[in-house]
Amino acid sequence: STNSDPLFYFGFSHTVNYVMNTSEKSRRKGRETVSSIPSDRLLVESDVHSAQDLLGGTAGAIAYVAWARNESIYQVANIASRNGM
C-alpha cells in the first residue's frame, strides 16, 4: 500500500531569505519560519544563475538555515542532503 498524501518540502536560500530582507522584523519572521519547518521537510536552495556559483550559494543557504534553526552546519547539510535524495 502506498501513501497518497502529497509531500511538501520547503526550500530556503541565503539570498532570498536573509539578504533581501533588510529589516530586523522581516529577518526575525524569516528565522521563525525556518525554525518551524519539520526537519524531514527542509531543503536548501542556492538561488544562483551559474554553475560556478553553485557551491557558494548552497553553502550560504546551509549556513543561513543552521543559524535560523540554531543547529550546526553539519546537521543542516545532512538533513538537506537526505531530503533532497
Side-chain angles (χ1 to χ4, degrees), residues 46-58:
S46 64
D47 279 338
V48 296
H49 300 285
S50 72
Q52 70 188 41
D53 296 330
L54 185 62
L55 184 58
T58 304

Side-chain angles (χ1 to χ4, degrees), residues 4-79:
S4 62
D5 292 337
L7 294 177
F8 292 97
Y9 290 87
F10 301 88
F12 298 94
S13 78
H14 175 259
T15 303
V16 172
N17 297 108
Y18 188 80
V19 174
M20 293 180 71
N21 291 312
T22 56
S23 75
E24 284 305 311
K25 179 180 179 182
S26 63
R27 287 184 176 174
R28 185 181 70 249
K29 286 185 174 222
R31 189 173 190 176
E32 290 169 358
T33 300
V34 172
S35 294
S36 72
I37 303 301
S39 291
D40 66 341
R41 295 290 176 243
L42 184 67
L43 294 172
V44 296
E45 301 178 16
S46 64
D47 279 338
V48 296
H49 300 285
S50 72
Q52 70 188 41
D53 296 330
L54 185 62
L55 184 58
T58 304
I62 291 169
Y64 167 71
V65 171
W67 167 80
R69 295 172 66 88
N70 198 30
E71 296 177 353
S72 74
I73 289 173
Y74 181 78
Q75 284 175 292
V76 172
N78 280 333
I79 290 167

